[in-house]
Amino acid sequence: MAKVDTSLVAHLPLFAGVGPEALDEILREARSARYPKNTAIFEQGADAQSFFLLLHGHVRAAKTTPTGEQIVVRYVAPGETFGLAMAIGAAHYPATAMAVDDSVVLIWPISAWPRLIERFPAIAANTLQAVGTRLQESHTRILEMSTQQVEQRVAHALLRLAKQSGKKLDRGIEIDFPISRQDIAQMTGTTLHTVSRILSGWESQGLVESGRQRIILRDPHGIVVLAERTPDSGAA
Amino acid sequence: MAKVDTSLVAHLPLFAGVGPEALDEILREARSARYPKNTAIFEQGADAQSFFLLLHGHVRAAKTTPTGEQIVVRYVAPGETFGLAMAIGAAHYPATAMAVDDSVVLIWPISAWPRLIERFPAIAANTLQAVGTRLQESHTRILEMSTQQVEQRVAHALLRLAKQSGKKLDRGIEIDFPISRQDIAQMTGTTLHTVSRILSGWESQGLVESGRQRIILRDPHGIVVLAERTPDSGAA
DNA sequence: TGCCCGTTTTGCGCTATCGCAAACTAAAGG
DNA sequence: CCTTTAGTTTGCGATAGCGCAAAACGGGCA
């Protein structure tokens, strides 16, 4: 059982208010695992047997309809938890988690959860905070889908990704994991075709530089402007 | 300070795992208030000073964009908490809460929250569960907005309302609070015009009976069928 | 090096839904 | 009982974005 270095995770919001020796105890219940790029960590509908903390890499959580359509629920960045089905009393995972990059995760058995939150109530409070934040983001997303056009939604989505997982380059900000037009479509409620058209347009305006599963925001401010444009504030 | 009857709220999920004397202590920190129909309980953006438990009535939580468009985040039914901004570390309410019926609520000052969850960790766990459930519902809503057409989304929305706040009648199930076409539009990401057209259609098929801020599902099963119809499973 | 396959691009017609406008209806209040 | 006002219905033209199809592209792998 590989031992996890306490100091690596001590600063995470999840463990705020938890003492060092307690942290050690918590980590002792976890195991770590590596998932290569494009491997599933758990499938939607499977028994929820574990919950996870992402250490390295990036994970896409996606939800599929009975008819096969998919949406991307979120991208998990290092330091974030995912697969918290048990915390909300669900017996099955409501989405599929897939490593989009080589990823390393900590894994706790769900059986550890009740004990954990009893001994360390701060964990419950911190998790509540994290889930609450995600709920808010979710509402923002619904608001956008209800009131904005596709181009603005794509702009907002890219800006959020850049904020969460952007790598600063001299030429701009690069989304730091492989992401396809299809993925972006599934985050914004549109089709890959429309996303492709939008990015092509932006590219010719010098707003972005993009290629196969790769996007660089060359003019983040210009994209902010786009994102905030109301349906009728005239374009060029 | 009107005293709240412990037995009235003891069964609520929020208080699961909390002993009777503890419950008494918790309730002692709350005050109750009555909000007449169509009065605001708090406004989006206001300092979050309290959190709430709805005892009677119905409350609409709605989010407004800078440009004035609105969406309905949810309808709160009796027994549910709302205004939990503080639990997620937000200083301001992210939405406006309005009583859509004469309503009675319990109100705690946010200052009570840290103490509450420290003394009664079950409260944090129960709240986490509630917020988690709402997050899931939120994702379902996003999935629907991304993959379904308006008619199906309206069908799903009405079925959920009927489940949450439906009153059984001989002629069907009535949504037990005043709700306008506009409200439904703001729940499903469409316009009141489109909702009106859809309901008119359903009415002539005998699926619903509706009027001014009033909707009765006369054939819930028929609506389920509609809700599950894929975009191209042929209509009549 | 060359092939194969997943991704991206682009054209084009179609339609679900919006947006505006106007008439209609019914509850509420004086 | 009448007036006011908020909610609802309906028609019609406009269009954003979809869906389908096909071609171009580019990496990875044998």
Side-chain angles (χ1 to χ4, degrees), chain B residues 148-151 189-191 193-194 197 212:
Chain B
Q148 306 183 331
Q149 345 214 137
V150 172
E151 186 172 20
T190 181
T191 63
H193 307 274
T194 299
R197 281 179 246 270
R212 197 190 181 74

Side-chain angles (χ1 to χ4, degrees), chain B residues 33-175:
Chain B
R34 186 178 159 281
Y35 291 90
K37 184 172 173 172
N38 290 327
T39 54
I41 299 174
F42 54 78
E43 299 274 356
Q44 175 173 343
D47 283 0
Q49 295 175 330
S50 316
F51 61 95
F52 305 81
L53 172 62
L54 182 62
L55 294 179
H56 296 299
H58 287 275
V59 170
R60 181 183 58 219
K63 217 169 152 64
T64 305
T65 63
T67 59
E69 290 116 323
Q70 259 197 357
I71 62 157
V72 171
V73 171
R74 68 163 172 151
Y75 280 93
V76 183
E80 298 180 343
T81 52
F82 64 102
L84 299 178
M86 81 293 143
I88 67 167
H92 305 276
Y93 294 114
T96 294
M98 155 109 45
V100 295
D101 249 353
D102 290 4
S103 298
V104 178
V105 302
L106 285 184
I107 309 179
W108 284 265
I110 55 164
S111 58
W113 180 254
R115 195 159 12 93
L116 233 48
I117 62 170
E118 193 186 354
R119 283 183 51 72
F120 313 106
I123 299 270
N126 295 338
T127 301
L128 177 55
Q129 186 127 340
V131 173
T133 301
R134 280 163 56 192
L135 180 59
Q136 291 230 58
E137 289 164 357
S138 221
H139 289 159
T140 299
R141 191 163 157 189
I142 291 172
L143 188 65
E144 285 177 8
M145 291 192 60
S146 298
T147 61
Q148 306 183 331
Q149 345 214 137
V150 172
E151 186 172 20
Q152 297 167 62
R153 302 205 300 265
V154 171
H156 276 117
L158 289 188
L159 289 171
R160 277 193 291 267
L161 287 174
K163 196 169 182 182
Q164 187 205 34
S165 303
K167 183 164 75 177
K168 279 209 179 63
L169 270 44
D170 343 335
R171 21 225 220 42
I173 303 176
E174 175 169 21
I175 311 285

Side-chain angles (χ1 to χ4, degrees), chain A residues 89-169:
Chain A
H92 305 276
Y93 293 114
T96 294
M98 155 109 45
V100 295
D101 248 353
D102 290 3
S103 298
V104 178
V105 301
L106 286 183
I107 308 178
W108 284 263
I110 55 164
S111 58
W113 180 254
R115 196 159 12 94
L116 233 48
I117 62 170
E118 192 186 354
R119 282 181 52 73
F120 313 107
I123 299 270
N126 295 339
T127 302
L128 177 55
Q129 186 126 341
V131 173
T133 300
R134 280 163 56 192
L135 180 59
Q136 291 229 58
E137 289 165 355
S138 219
H139 289 159
T140 300
R141 191 163 157 189
I142 291 172
L143 189 65
E144 286 178 7
M145 291 192 61
S146 298
T147 61
Q148 305 183 332
Q149 342 215 133
V150 172
E151 186 171 20
Q152 295 168 62
R153 302 205 303 263
V154 171
H156 276 118
L158 288 188
L159 289 170
R160 277 193 291 266
L161 287 174
K163 195 169 183 182
Q164 188 206 34
S165 304
K167 183 164 74 176
K168 279 208 181 62
L169 270 43

Side-chain angles (χ1 to χ4, degrees), chain A:
Chain A
M1 174 80 44
K3 191 54 182 34
V4 180
D5 186 346
T6 305
S7 67
L8 284 179
V9 297
H11 69 284
L12 296 179
L14 174 62
F15 299 122
V18 174
E21 65 303 320
L23 180 52
D24 203 64
E25 177 183 341
I26 295 168
L27 291 180
R28 228 175 300 125
E29 307 214 30
R31 67 190 176 89
S32 80
R34 186 178 159 281
Y35 291 90
K37 183 172 173 172
N38 290 327
T39 53
I41 299 174
F42 54 78
E43 300 274 355
Q44 175 173 343
D47 283 0
Q49 295 174 332
S50 316
F51 61 95
F52 304 81
L53 172 62
L54 182 63
L55 294 179
H56 296 300
H58 287 275
V59 170
R60 181 184 58 219
K63 217 168 152 64
T64 306
T65 63
T67 59
E69 289 115 325
Q70 257 196 0
I71 62 158
V72 172
V73 170
R74 67 163 174 152
Y75 280 93
V76 183
E80 298 180 344
T81 51
F82 64 102
L84 299 179
M86 82 294 141
I88 67 168
H92 305 276
Y93 293 114
T96 294
M98 155 109 45
V100 295
D101 248 353
D102 290 3
S103 298
V104 178
V105 301
L106 286 183
I107 308 178
W108 284 263
I110 55 164
S111 58
W113 180 254
R115 196 159 12 94
L116 233 48
I117 62 170
E118 192 186 354
R119 282 181 52 73
F120 313 107
I123 299 270
N126 295 339
T127 302
L128 177 55
Q129 186 126 341
V131 173
T133 300
R134 280 163 56 192
L135 180 59
Q136 291 229 58
E137 289 165 355
S138 219
H139 289 159
T140 300
R141 191 163 157 189
I142 291 172
L143 189 65
E144 286 178 7
M145 291 192 61
S146 298
T147 61
Q148 305 183 332
Q149 342 215 133
V150 172
E151 186 171 20
Q152 295 168 62
R153 302 205 303 263
V154 171
H156 276 118
L158 288 188
L159 289 170
R160 277 193 291 266
L161 287 174
K163 195 169 183 182
Q164 188 206 34
S165 304
K167 183 164 74 176
K168 279 208 181 62
L169 270 43
D170 341 335
R171 25 229 253 310
I173 303 176
E174 175 170 21
I175 312 284
D176 202 24
F177 54 83
I179 184 168
S180 69
R181 308 287 184 265
Q182 174 80 278
D183 293 324
I184 295 170
Q186 292 176 347
M187 297 183 73
T188 53
T190 180
T191 63
L192 78 164
H193 307 274
T194 299
V195 172
S196 179
R197 280 180 246 270
I198 289 171
L199 288 184
S200 295
W202 289 357
E203 186 128 29
S204 66
Q205 296 169 56
L207 288 168
V208 302
E209 173 189 332
S210 77
R212 197 189 180 73
Q213 306 205 94
R214 191 180 54 85
I215 300 178
I216 299 171
L217 311 188
R218 302 209 57 153
D219 178 4
H221 181 65
I223 297 178
V224 170
V225 171
L226 265 186
E228 285 169 359
R229 181 140 75 205
T230 77
D232 52 273
S233 70

